[in-house]
Amino acid sequence: MSDTSLSSLAAQLAARQVSSRELAQTYLDRIAALNPAINAFITVDAEKTLAEAAAADALRAAGQAGPLTGVPVAHKDIFCTDGWLTTCGSKMLHNFVAPYDAHVIRRFKAAGMPSLGKTNMDEFAMGSSNETSYFGAVKNPWNPACVPGGSSGGAAACVAARMAPAATGTDTGGSIRQPAALCGITGLKPTYGLVSRYGMIAFASSLDQAGPMAPSAEDCALLLNVMTGFDPSDSTSLDREKEDYTRDLNLPLAGLRVGLPREFFAEGLNNEVAAAVDAAVAELKKLGATTVGISLANSKLAIPVYYVLAPAEASSNLSRFDGVRYGYRAPEYANLDDMYCKTRAQGFGAEVKRRILIGAYVLSHGYYDAYYLQAQKIRRLIADDFNAAFKVCDVILGPTAPGTAFRLGEKSGDPVEMYLNDLYTIPANLAGLPGMSLPCGFDSKGLPIGLQLVGNYFSEAKMLNVAHQYQRATDWHMRLPPLGEAPGARG
Amino acid sequence: MSLTPDDVKRIARLARIETSDAEAQATQVQLNSIFGLIAAMQAVDTRDIAPMAHAQEVTQRLRDDVVTETDRHAAFQTIAPAVENGLYLVPKVIE
Amino acid sequence: MKWETVIGLEVHTQLATKSKIFSGSSTAFGAAPNTQASAVDIALPGVLPVLNKGAVECAIRFGLAIGANLNRVNVFDRKNYFYPDLPKGYQISQLAKPIVEGGALKIIVPSTGSGQSEERVIHLTRAHLEEDAGKSLHEDFHGMTGIDLNRAGTPLLEIVSEPEMRSSAEAVAYARALHALVTWIGICDGNMQEGSFRVDANVSVRPVGQTEFGTRREIKNLNSFRFLQQAIDYEVRWQIETLEDGGRVTQATVLFDPDTGETRMMRSKEEAHDYRYFPDPDLLPVRLDEDWIAAVRATLPELPAAMQARFQRDYGVSAYDATVLTGSRALADYFEAAAKACGQGKLAANWVMGELSAALNKAELDIAQSPVSSAQLGALIARIQDGTLSGKLARQVFEGLWEGAGEVDAIIEARGLRQMSDSGELEKIVDDVLAANPKSVEEFRAGKEKAFNALVGQVMKASRGKANPAQVNDLLKAKLQ
């Protein structure tokens, strides 16, 4: 197959071997062919995509092209996109055409990168299987009977099926890393505050962070260069000097200290996943890394803490969906109060309502200290564990998810069972640390297995270096699901 | 601790989500299993631990007091459920 | 039973910033509906707040002005409730760590009847920053309510007093002093009609001697001092009557109806409020560094309390007059300029608070719009002082100044208002009056003091008011001996 890495596509565009318009059309064709079975996209608008691609070509013709100008990407439907339907996977926003661009979208536009469409997701990013979307479940390209993971399931599936060279995702408790693992791609959640949250529909504000999803670490590094940057309209955006995340990709790994948290290899971890992760550790050792056993003792409390803090913030963040200024309004109601109650009962799906109720409960009078405050205190203990660990290691390694892709409907009846999927990913969100997932093998059913790296604050370049070196030595990330040829880039 | 159907109705009321008795029953079961999971938190001694509200120990940046926004109400109101004379319309508010 | 009233006030002051507290929208009053409601103000999905430095600075000014503690780290919280004029479904406010805590305000409670005006100090609990809500317009839109979000996000400083006031008069005096202060330091335009200064009053009563408070009811949104007084007076009467009739006062929020002069319970909510406050994850802790506080302190004008003390010391005015004269910055500046121009503080105070204030009130003008300048008033008072004008003549000159007839001396000349200084001329008038009123002379000699006053009046009349009354007195006394 042809090379669809971002660096290759960029080179072909720069060499005028292909135009952005042609490239976009190729991907649109592949979306048209594959999406009906996968359901990775909520909105595809060929006309808009081709117009943006034509603009990219014009930019190049004018000699104003940047490194990735003309390379198309798909955006999670959580990012407000001016003139595009932006649903967040919810009936509540089934008709919401955003009147402005999220900061992330503005950065892609400024880089001259056309949008291939808006990808499917768990409703309001609440889910680990993409089954909570109002627009239907996404199917895993490796096995359509299985889930792609969530909440950025559409993004992961569309990249795995090469319906897009790369995609944006967001990660509140693992929503980039877990679907990346389940779909066999690479995904990175940056340090909290590196990517602006402005225009990204909020789930849990203190945890949400956008990041890149693509086949390889190198692709992610290139995308991260586009996505990061200070934004004065997000108070939590960090005003730091801009980095080139590709700068350390080719450094050797000699002397790298890899921390292995014993809690991430304990009970509950699938044997095949454990074996693949062990093999990856062996591979890194071959590349010069050493390992050190560490403990993240409080990480076992990450799920309880997360299921207090995230719903609490969400219950408040989602109060704006009231049927007054935009979005869904119930067709019939007796009075104002009834309008609110019916609009929200009908507009939100079951999982979203469940989390709103949990959040309202833990913040309500008499329960705040026992739940919300206690969770915030344990959050600090979890972060402190990481701080201690990074005194003895450079990067922490473990599985991304306890198992591989599960079957559609297998866990949707049991919220607790579903929540346990994010056991290994949530701690990094609570601490605000960067985390990434990269493919490290397949189970006996042929489903991808994800390896997770968690780095210290602002150590994205180091993590990408480790991942890139691993990917140079392995080809798990090159494997394609059995769907047919990738589009391409001629030649 | 566990929630009663009345607790569910009370918080659904706070959250303005219409919930029938049957829904409250079903939700109660699910919420209780989730709160069963959350209960693991309660055993931790956190006496001298400062709560962590943000991922980074940074303080609020301040915006200069200047007007930067222009009137976009026409664009904003094309996506509104009900408007008239520039106003959003809602069922009568009684104070 | 004797009852004691306990009042605490919560005042919402709109801060005089150009832009909103969390967005770059204009805060100008009176724009067409929703034309000053940005993406942030209407709470589009995905938008985020960024705090306005100007609003924080206003709060610092206030904290310094009342000698309060400024919390070097303060935090914004979300107060969650549903209301159509609250677009996010929560109000960003400060609960646990407000920017200002403590502080005090000196008030002068005017005398009632014959009593002395009384000075009191009212302590403040706190003042915190928050955002205003939009407006619900209840005119008929086919049985619907219209929502205008222009006001949503306007910065507010909510100023909470301790429950230290014991009468409506004290509450009004406190509200007036607070109004004077926030306008004085330039953090609020003070326009009560436009809602820039809105008062909520927490009112309870208890038997005199009881230490614990009675159950309070909160009167919402009083937008004039008169309504504040009326509402509290009604509410206190109602609570006392209720209790004396064996009833109970239950905690409630009430509205004051200016038409009936009564308070009434707001439509009761089905459930108790549970605002589910928690720290806003979109906003970080606000840090006030010492340099900033010092810089703000350096820009503070002389404050009313300091100026009152100085007026008493330098101009010999009473404490009460000093308070009235510092009712606004413009009034204080006017008084001081006039007093300096004539060197007569007490006289200047009397004129500013008397003739001038009455004329301004009658014409519904503000001190800043006064047709008579402080320099003119000073010149006028100087002419009283040097004997050129009597009080009565001075009032005529004042009328001339008010009408714009020119400067003081020109009006005196043009209208022939100079006080008679030629004693020969006056003596002739006195002689004529004595000759023409033998009956009064006789009565005076028989011991009727009133007859003397009648003679003075006749002389003044004959001189067409230009005689110096003291001189007339002396002359008449001499002649009648």
Side-chain angles (χ1 to χ4, degrees):
Chain A
M1 61 157 280
S2 34
D3 184 357
T4 60
S5 70
L6 297 193
S7 57
S8 166
L9 294 177
Q12 293 171 58
L13 285 159
R16 316 276 169 116
Q17 289 167 343
V18 66
S19 70
S20 178
R21 231 185 116 83
E22 289 166 330
L23 196 55
Q25 188 61 59
T26 308
Y27 280 102
L28 288 170
D29 290 348
R30 188 159 170 92
I31 292 169
L34 297 180
N35 194 53
I38 306 288
N39 197 28
F41 284 88
I42 291 173
T43 301
V44 177
D45 186 330
E47 207 175 305
K48 280 199 177 75
T49 299
L50 292 173
E52 289 182 25
D57 286 331
L59 211 59
R60 184 171 300 285
Q64 290 165 355
L68 295 179
T69 295
V71 177
V73 288
H75 293 298
K76 186 175 181 179
D77 209 20
I78 200 169
F79 294 103
C80 285
T81 313
D82 200 356
W84 289 72
L85 195 62
T86 300
T87 69
C88 222
S90 181
K91 180 181 181 182
M92 190 59 94
L93 291 176
H94 76 285
N95 58 354
F96 178 69
V97 178
Y100 78 106
D101 277 328
H103 186 259
V104 163
I105 299 292
R106 285 209 303 270
R107 294 199 73 91
F108 278 101
K109 282 188 176 173
M113 300 176 72
S115 166
L116 285 167
K118 307 293 294 289
T119 63
N120 204 342
M121 56 183 284
D122 277 301
E123 184 180 9
F124 285 105
M126 297 176 191
S128 307
S129 68
N130 223 306
E131 291 167 292
T132 71
S133 171
Y134 175 65
F135 299 90
V138 178
K139 316 297 192 309
N140 192 316
W142 294 90
N143 180 348
C146 290
V147 303
S151 68
S152 309
C158 86
V159 171
R162 301 299 190 266
M163 288 189 273
T168 53
T170 63
D171 190 315
T172 305
S175 281
I176 286 175
R177 291 161 287 161
Q178 185 258 12
L182 269 50
C183 287
I185 66 162
T186 307
L188 187 149
K189 178 203 94 74
T191 303
Y192 182 88
L194 275 191
V195 178
S196 169
R197 294 184 297 114
Y198 193 83
M200 184 178 125
I201 299 174
F203 162 15
S205 310
S206 78
L207 304 168
D208 296 343
Q209 188 62 202
M213 302 174 79
S216 73
E218 186 194 20
D219 294 338
C220 285
L222 287 165
L223 284 180
L224 200 56
N225 280 349
V226 176
M227 295 176 78
T228 56
F230 174 61
D231 177 11
S233 47
D234 173 0
S235 294
T236 60
S237 171
L238 298 166
D239 192 359
R240 289 171 57 85
E241 206 172 316
K242 194 108 170 80
E243 287 183 51
D244 175 5
Y245 293 102
T246 64
R247 68 179 190 273
D248 292 341
L249 286 177
N250 294 312
L251 293 182
L253 297 189
L256 179 79
R257 298 171 303 167
V258 176
L260 303 175
R262 74 177 69 94
E263 293 80 6
F264 286 13
F265 295 89
E267 202 187 337
L269 179 62
N270 167 303
N271 287 336
E272 290 183 289
V273 173
V277 172
D278 286 345
V281 171
E283 188 63 47
L284 289 174
K285 280 182 171 169
K286 269 201 280 178
L287 294 170
T290 57
T291 60
V292 49
I294 58 165
S295 174
L296 301 171
N298 290 292
S299 65
K300 63 177 187 295
L301 294 165
I303 288 185
V305 166
Y306 178 84
Y307 278 98
V308 170
L309 297 182
E313 293 184 19
S315 70
S316 178
N317 283 333
L318 270 58
S319 291
R320 67 189 58 200
F321 302 106
D322 60 3
V324 175
R325 297 165 313 286
Y326 46 76
Y328 179 76
R329 177 187 283 196
E332 285 170 26
Y333 40 82
N335 53 43
L336 174 69
D337 201 65
D338 197 39
M339 191 274 274
Y340 283 151
C341 294
K342 285 197 162 63
T343 294
R344 291 167 60 80
Q346 296 163 16
F348 291 135
E351 180 62 23
V352 171
K353 284 191 264 194
R354 203 145 46 225
R355 297 208 197 181
I356 290 175
L357 295 182
I358 296 169
Y361 184 73
V362 299
L363 291 174
S364 67
H365 189 71
Y367 299 100
Y368 181 87
D369 287 3
Y371 288 110
Y372 189 76
L373 208 59
Q374 175 74 349
Q376 280 197 329
K377 290 175 173 181
I378 300 176
R379 182 180 183 182
R380 184 169 302 282
L381 294 178
I382 290 169
D384 288 347
D385 282 352
F386 278 109
N387 290 333
F390 283 120
K391 291 195 168 75
V392 298
C393 67
D394 303 308
V395 66
I396 292 170
L397 183 148
T400 304
T404 54
F406 45 92
R407 298 183 81 80
L408 285 154
E410 186 181 328
K411 299 184 179 180
S412 50
D414 183 351
V416 167
E417 180 75 7
M418 185 71 87
Y419 295 173
L420 292 173
N421 240 275
D422 296 330
L423 181 64
Y424 306 129
T425 46
I426 285 173
N429 297 85
L430 292 172
L433 292 165
M436 73 184 291
S437 178
L438 56 154
C440 69
F442 289 85
D443 70 3
S444 51
K445 289 175 277 185
L447 293 167
I449 296 170
L451 173 75
Q452 181 178 221
L453 301 177
V454 176
N456 208 343
Y457 299 103
F458 312 114
S459 71
E460 285 79 0
K462 165 61 66 188
M463 295 160 68
L464 288 161
N465 166 224
V466 175
H468 182 65
Q469 291 305 310
Y470 175 79
Q471 289 182 339
R472 282 184 54 177
T474 58
D475 72 345
W476 307 114
H477 66 292
M478 307 286 281
R479 309 280 182 92
L480 287 177
L483 288 165
E485 273 302 291
R490 295 173 209 154
Chain B
M1 77 144 299
S2 66
L3 282 79
T4 64
D6 277 353
D7 288 328
V8 175
K9 297 281 270 188
R10 178 178 63 84
I11 55 180
R13 175 78 204 120
L14 275 178
R16 296 294 186 275
I17 294 174
E18 187 179 67
T19 305
S20 67
D21 290 343
E23 286 169 322
Q25 294 276 351
T27 304
Q28 177 216 359
V29 174
Q30 288 166 334
L31 292 193
N32 276 331
S33 78
I34 296 166
F35 277 99
L37 187 72
I38 291 171
M41 230 176 52
Q42 304 302 349
V44 183
D45 179 358
T46 54
R47 250 169 304 177
D48 297 320
I49 310 298
M52 179 173 168
H54 298 280
Q56 303 279 343
E57 295 285 327
V58 282
T59 53
Q60 179 63 32
R61 228 175 327 102
L62 301 174
R63 210 187 79 242
D64 284 339
D65 180 23
V66 284
V67 175
T68 52
E69 296 288 346
T70 50
D71 173 19
R72 293 197 59 208
H73 84 282
F76 294 158
Q77 293 190 348
T78 57
I79 52 171
V83 286
E84 191 170 309
N85 298 336
L87 296 161
Y88 295 98
L89 294 190
V90 298
K92 198 146 195 72
V93 175
I94 303 155
E95 269 189 347
Chain C
M1 189 180 291
K2 289 269 283 176
W3 297 91
E4 182 180 46
T5 302
V6 176
I7 304 163
L9 297 188
E10 294 173 13
V11 179
H12 290 85
T13 53
Q14 281 185 348
L15 298 176
T17 55
K18 295 183 195 73
S19 64
K20 294 189 178 175
I21 185 164
F22 299 119
S23 83
S25 300
S26 169
T27 55
F29 183 82
N34 290 306
T35 57
Q36 289 174 177
S38 68
V40 170
D41 307 321
I42 68 167
L44 283 179
V47 298
L48 296 169
V50 184
L51 182 58
N52 182 345
K53 185 177 184 185
V56 180
E57 192 160 315
C58 286
I60 296 175
R61 284 175 84 78
F62 180 74
L64 292 173
I66 58 161
N69 174 39
L70 289 169
N71 277 326
R72 299 307 195 261
V73 176
N74 56 91
V75 172
F76 282 96
D77 299 293
R78 292 184 181 179
K79 179 182 182 180
N80 294 284
Y81 65 97
F82 286 88
Y83 206 76
D85 64 14
L86 188 73
K88 294 188 292 298
Y90 58 85
Q91 179 194 30
I92 304 177
S93 181
Q94 299 188 303
L95 179 71
K97 291 176 187 158
I99 184 163
V100 174
E101 279 183 289
L105 196 59
K106 197 188 79 185
I107 65 170
I108 304 262
V109 189
S111 58
T112 46
S114 56
Q116 280 273 313
S117 63
E118 188 199 350
E119 182 176 315
R120 289 210 52 203
V121 171
I122 302 297
H123 294 91
L124 280 75
T125 314
R126 55 186 281 152
H128 63 259
L129 286 164
E130 62 183 26
E131 55 182 342
D132 210 343
K135 281 183 185 166
S136 302
L137 304 173
H138 303 292
E139 294 100 84
D140 199 25
F141 293 101
H142 340 288
M144 308 279 272
T145 290
I147 305 296
D148 175 9
L149 299 174
N150 280 350
R151 197 179 68 175
T154 297
L156 295 176
L157 189 66
E158 180 174 338
I159 302 163
V160 183
S161 82
E162 290 288 305
E164 292 182 344
M165 287 151 276
R166 294 292 174 265
S167 68
S168 62
E170 287 186 18
V172 169
Y174 166 79
R176 283 189 185 280
L178 191 62
H179 184 268
L181 180 67
V182 294
T183 52
W184 190 280
I185 60 176
I187 66 167
C188 175
D189 70 15
N191 190 325
M192 295 178 79
Q193 281 79 47
E194 293 178 4
S196 297
F197 188 93
R198 315 195 290 268
V199 183
D200 298 342
N202 284 300
V203 180
S204 63
V205 297
R206 60 182 171 189
V208 168
Q210 181 180 307
T211 45
E212 62 270 31
F213 293 130
T215 305
R216 67 188 155 89
R217 303 213 307 169
E218 183 179 21
I219 316 169
K220 279 277 185 201
N221 254 330
L222 297 158
N223 63 357
S224 86
F225 298 123
R226 193 159 52 91
F227 293 163
L228 174 62
Q229 177 122 30
Q230 289 174 358
I232 292 173
D233 287 344
Y234 177 86
E235 179 65 23
V236 168
R237 275 200 308 277
W238 182 87
Q239 289 189 16
I240 292 173
E241 276 168 23
T242 300
L243 293 169
E244 287 187 339
D245 289 351
R248 273 186 57 207
V249 174
T250 51
Q251 197 165 332
T253 303
V254 301
L255 288 174
F256 175 68
D257 184 344
D259 295 331
T260 61
E262 295 179 358
T263 56
R264 66 177 167 85
M265 184 113 90
M266 279 175 80
R267 194 173 72 102
S268 67
K269 304 253 156 72
E270 292 91 316
E271 76 276 344
H273 281 301
D274 187 342
Y275 291 125
R276 291 155 288 142
Y277 278 100
F278 73 108
D280 191 332
D282 288 331
L283 290 160
L284 300 161
V286 181
R287 185 176 294 280
L288 310 180
D289 68 53
E290 302 306 323
D291 289 351
W292 188 20
I293 293 170
V296 174
R297 191 191 297 275
T299 66
L300 274 183
E302 184 183 18
L303 296 171
M307 207 177 251
Q308 284 158 22
R310 192 165 58 77
F311 283 3
Q312 290 177 55
R313 193 177 65 234
D314 294 358
Y315 302 111
V317 300
S318 70
Y320 179 76
D321 288 358
T323 308
V324 173
L325 290 168
T326 52
S328 78
R329 182 90 166 272
L331 183 65
D333 289 347
Y334 187 103
F335 160 73
E336 188 154 34
K340 279 188 173 150
C342 64
Q344 293 295 316
K346 275 196 86 150
L347 208 47
N350 291 343
W351 272 86
V352 168
M353 292 164 59
E355 207 71 19
L356 179 68
S357 288
L360 290 171
N361 273 342
K362 200 174 156 209
E364 292 184 356
L365 291 177
D366 198 74
I367 184 75
Q369 303 161 300
S370 171
V372 180
S373 73
S374 55
Q376 288 173 325
L377 189 68
L380 176 65
I381 294 164
R383 288 286 169 265
I384 300 170
Q385 183 58 24
D386 69 11
T388 308
L389 295 173
S390 65
K392 194 174 172 197
L393 290 169
R395 279 193 285 279
Q396 293 179 40
V397 177
F398 181 84
E399 279 167 25
L401 290 171
W402 186 271
E403 292 154 7
E407 293 305 315
V408 172
D409 288 343
I411 294 170
I412 293 171
E413 287 311 318
R415 302 193 179 181
L417 297 174
R418 189 176 293 276
Q419 187 162 255
M420 208 169 275
S421 56
D422 180 342
S423 56
E425 193 183 343
L426 183 58
E427 204 171 339
K428 187 175 176 304
I429 293 173
V430 170
D431 288 342
D432 290 350
V433 167
L434 289 176
N437 295 282
K439 203 177 164 211
S440 294
V441 174
E442 204 172 305
E443 282 174 3
F444 173 75
R445 294 213 162 109
K448 278 195 174 171
E449 278 295 317
K450 264 190 182 163
F452 183 78
N453 292 339
L455 290 168
V456 172
Q458 289 296 323
V459 175
M460 291 307 292
K461 195 177 166 191
S463 74
R464 283 178 296 140
K466 287 191 248 173
N468 180 330
Q471 224 179 333
V472 173
N473 261 324
D474 292 349
L475 210 57
L476 267 175
K477 272 183 186 154
K479 295 261 177 195
L480 287 170
Q481 246 162 25

